[in-house]
Amino acid sequence: MAELPTRLDGLRPMIEELMRIGGTPGLSLEVMSNGTSVYEASFGARDTEASLPVTHETIFPICSLTKALTASAMAILVDEDKLTWDTLVKDVLPAFNSRDETIQNHLTVTDILSHRSGMAWCSNLVIGTENNILIPGKDGLEYINSQPRLLPFRTEMSYNNLTYNLAGYVIEEVSGISWFEFVQSRILDPLGLDRTYLKPPQSGIPDVTQCYNALDDASTVQIPRPKAGQDWYSGPSGGAWSCVRDLSKLYRTFNASVQHQFSTGKSATEGSPFKQVPHLTSAKIPMDQPSRNELSYALGWGRAQLPNRLGQIGINHSLMPDGMPVVGKGVPSQLVLFHQGSLPGALAIVILLPDTDSMIIVLSNSLALNDVPDWVGQLILEELLEVPKSERNDYIKAAHSSVTENLKWYPALVAELSSARKTGTSPRALESYTGTYRDDIKVFKIVVDLEDNQLYWRLQGLDSEKFPLEHYEDDTFTWLLPRNELSRRGRWVGSDQGPAFWKAIFQSSDGGRVDKLYWAHDTGVPPVELTKEENNSDCIP
């Protein structure tokens, strides 16, 4: 058999085809085997308009790969006896005051890092148009405190960005410095990662990718770059940016720490900033069950004992109704640690194989029609493992299938809204709906305006969040636009946004005045109630 670098380079045409199918202008990857970098490659453009190529140092949003950094920061504090893995959040963060009694009295550091709190995740409200973060940094903890619990406590994994932001607050309270300063000084600087940033890079930094959303035909449109962490909020859950050059240093050190600390029983490794690694990488909650082999979430990492399904933290999982393909058939079983990241304008994956000191990193600059880095990562993994040809998955077929499933979303949504609509109703005088509506903690608002006999709403009062409201039935309006238009505006679009998400439901008081607005901003979340301000003003900050 040919040498591994040659075999990996032979996958280039398939990788380019996966990018074309999904709609991804640029992609960067690196593969390490047995502690040595064996393949690095750059594909396409970091800026299509300027025809600038992706390089090994191109900086991409790494999205939820940030979570492992936040978990690692917490592990340093545990190792310094500043807290324990079982420390209650309320005992170290006085401002934590959840409305849910179970969460308030029983939520631990481990719970918030393992997605087992059962708390509502609310990402569709937090991330808006043009990659806006709609929750101000100053209000972030109060917003988390207000969220309900949707699932029984510690019974199943429910992916949650809010709890990773909560972890950021804990780190700041215990360490006495900001999450940004702590991760920078204790993890990034010791490793010499000079092209890794914990919030959007400042202008003038060279070789930073533009970001894109894919349209229905897999062409792409440039959108504003992710803003997670710019005003603090969403930084600890998904705000970091990096390049494969830096990440290879990071994960090479982490892999070595996994091997050393498990073999010696120690909680630290000389020359490594990573502490308590056995705790970081041990199973904390099952995911995607049933599963014959272990499939679980640790702390900032997914775990899968091969052969197994992968991709549970990305978007492909929801686009494969018959299930994700099983990876690693026909070769010796081994443990995979992995994580994925996704935001409008970016998708990413890292796959670690600690037993063989190997890794795969794939970064991309598009919210594609499927999770292109996921398919590319799994394709490379099967080559790395030397899976027999007869047992390998057809990732081109999987890519086409997942795109087809994705494109069913909008027409199915329109049909469902149409079939459920009550006919023959009329709205009130449109001006009766106008005003500023706020939630009960005064963190989130929706401003409703009337312009040329057309109602609009603006989330958080922002012009970039302005959408027309079309009458649906009674006092209910919809704000749905065609999928391509939503993509052009830099929004996340997908199957987690069902009919209720696209409805604005107004309600009147006994006196007939419209004074309430309800919006179900995430699947399974009770509609948020917003009350119209008495002075009918949208000028209050």
Side-chain angles (χ1 to χ4, degrees):
M1 181 175 289
E3 292 296 320
L4 180 57
T6 302
R7 290 189 282 117
L8 292 172
D9 199 52
L11 300 177
R12 179 176 283 270
M14 291 182 68
I15 293 171
E16 292 171 340
E17 179 66 1
L18 290 171
M19 293 172 64
R20 185 195 66 79
I21 294 168
T24 298
L27 183 145
S28 184
L29 68 87
E30 177 157 342
V31 182
M32 185 177 81
S33 178
N34 295 311
T36 302
S37 178
V38 294
Y39 188 69
E40 60 183 56
S42 301
F43 298 79
R46 70 178 189 266
D47 186 327
T48 58
E49 185 175 345
S51 298
L52 298 176
V54 172
T55 73
H56 195 54
E57 293 193 351
T58 297
I59 297 171
F60 292 82
I62 66 170
C63 314
S64 285
L65 304 194
T66 308
K67 289 181 170 65
L69 294 174
T70 297
S72 294
M74 193 77 78
I76 292 171
L77 295 173
V78 171
D79 204 60
E80 293 175 347
D81 295 325
K82 302 289 181 60
L83 42 67
T84 74
W85 292 116
D86 294 323
T87 293
L88 295 174
V89 174
K90 70 173 185 177
D91 290 344
V92 290
L93 188 61
F96 180 64
N97 187 25
S98 174
R99 290 183 181 181
D100 183 271
E101 183 179 355
T102 299
I103 289 177
Q104 174 63 23
N105 293 318
H106 301 283
L107 190 71
T108 68
V109 167
T110 295
D111 294 327
I112 62 177
L113 296 174
S114 59
H115 303 300
R116 65 188 194 189
S117 70
M119 184 191 297
W121 78 314
C122 301
S123 285
N124 282 323
L125 187 149
V126 174
I127 302 173
T129 307
E130 297 184 1
N131 259 314
N132 293 328
I133 301 298
L134 297 179
I135 303 301
K138 65 182 179 61
D139 298 326
L141 185 53
E142 186 173 9
Y143 179 71
I144 293 171
N145 285 337
S146 73
Q147 296 310 305
R149 180 166 51 88
L150 302 181
L151 296 172
F153 190 57
R154 294 181 188 155
T155 58
E156 61 182 279
M157 177 193 166
S158 179
Y159 195 81
N160 196 314
N161 288 319
L162 297 188
T163 57
Y164 265 79
N165 289 310
L166 181 56
Y169 289 117
V170 171
I171 290 166
E172 293 189 339
E173 184 72 26
V174 174
S175 70
I177 59 176
S178 74
W179 172 84
F180 300 94
E181 293 173 292
F182 191 89
V183 175
Q184 184 73 48
S185 63
R186 302 299 299 274
I187 299 175
L188 304 186
D189 288 346
L191 292 173
L193 305 187
D194 57 5
R195 290 186 63 76
T196 299
Y197 300 86
L198 299 175
K199 59 177 66 177
Q202 296 179 354
S203 60
I205 294 173
D207 204 354
V208 178
T209 190
Q210 298 295 337
C211 292
Y212 303 85
N213 269 1
L215 304 180
D216 291 356
D217 61 359
S219 64
T220 56
V221 59
Q222 185 175 325
I223 65 170
R225 292 164 170 162
K227 301 168 186 171
Q230 189 168 278
D231 181 30
W232 196 95
Y233 207 69
S234 292
S237 63
W241 293 61
S242 192
C243 62
V244 293
R245 187 207 71 176
D246 268 17
L247 291 181
S248 66
K249 297 179 187 176
L250 180 81
Y251 297 130
R252 183 181 293 112
T253 304
F254 189 81
N255 251 351
S257 302
V258 172
Q259 293 177 323
H260 172 260
Q261 292 179 31
F262 268 106
S263 64
T264 64
K266 295 181 178 180
S267 64
T269 300
E270 185 176 356
S272 168
F274 297 110
K275 315 297 182 184
Q276 301 275 323
V277 173
H279 286 277
L280 290 174
T281 58
S282 294
K284 299 300 186 293
I285 190 78
M287 67 177 180
D288 192 18
Q289 298 298 301
S291 174
R292 178 177 176 178
N293 291 342
E294 185 200 342
L295 194 51
S296 62
Y297 197 85
L299 303 179
W301 291 98
R303 288 173 52 99
Q305 190 71 34
L306 300 182
N308 218 325
R309 306 180 300 275
L310 298 179
Q312 291 81 1
I313 307 169
I315 65 175
N316 283 337
H317 186 255
S318 65
L319 300 178
M320 300 293 286
D322 295 328
M324 291 291 283
V326 174
V327 179
K329 301 185 294 290
V331 294
S333 177
Q334 63 177 297
L335 175 69
V336 165
L337 300 174
F338 71 99
H339 215 282
Q340 293 163 264
S342 52
L343 283 170
L347 296 167
I349 190 170
V350 57
I351 301 172
L352 304 183
L353 295 90
D355 291 347
T356 58
D357 198 8
S358 302
M359 70 180 175
I360 300 165
I361 305 166
V362 188
L363 307 179
S364 76
N365 59 3
S366 174
L367 178 56
L369 296 175
N370 59 29
D371 198 327
V372 173
D374 184 22
W375 294 139
V376 171
Q378 294 190 38
L379 171 72
I380 293 172
L381 178 59
E382 294 210 319
E383 186 65 59
L384 184 64
L385 296 173
E386 299 186 42
V387 171
K389 297 292 185 181
S390 61
E391 298 285 2
R392 294 194 185 189
N393 297 307
D394 186 341
Y395 291 106
I396 300 298
K397 180 180 178 181
H400 280 297
S401 297
S402 48
V403 167
T404 298
E405 187 67 22
N406 194 342
L407 294 179
K408 291 178 182 178
W409 167 75
Y410 180 76
L413 175 63
V414 171
E416 189 172 355
L417 283 167
S418 178
S419 65
R421 183 179 186 179
K422 186 194 304 182
T423 60
T425 68
S426 300
R428 304 164 191 257
L430 295 182
E431 56 268 19
S432 66
Y433 300 105
T434 62
T436 295
Y437 298 79
R438 290 185 182 268
D439 64 8
D440 64 344
I441 59 172
K442 309 300 182 185
V443 167
F444 186 75
K445 70 177 180 180
I446 298 178
V447 177
V448 180
D449 298 312
L450 182 62
E451 300 177 13
D452 298 326
N453 206 38
Q454 171 67 59
L455 276 182
Y456 295 88
W457 81 355
R458 291 181 290 134
L459 305 180
Q460 291 292 44
L462 299 172
D463 288 339
S464 59
E465 300 289 345
K466 182 178 179 180
F467 289 84
L469 295 177
E470 302 296 338
H471 183 250
Y472 180 71
E473 63 185 23
D474 297 327
D475 289 325
T476 298
F477 293 75
T478 60
W479 60 292
L480 178 66
L481 295 176
R483 186 192 180 283
N484 278 348
E485 180 60 23
L486 294 167
S487 294
R488 288 188 182 96
R489 292 187 62 173
R491 286 197 64 86
W492 179 278
V493 288
S495 58
D496 58 335
Q497 299 168 335
F501 177 75
W502 299 102
K503 292 180 181 179
I505 303 173
F506 294 89
Q507 187 179 90
S508 61
S509 61
D510 292 341
R513 175 180 179 269
V514 174
D515 59 1
K516 300 286 187 183
L517 173 58
Y518 293 86
W519 178 36
H521 51 79
D522 277 279
T523 301
V525 175
V528 61
E529 179 184 278
L530 301 107
T531 302
K532 184 188 287 189
E533 294 181 340
E534 289 295 332
N535 60 7
N536 199 29
S537 169
D538 62 1
C539 298
I540 298 175

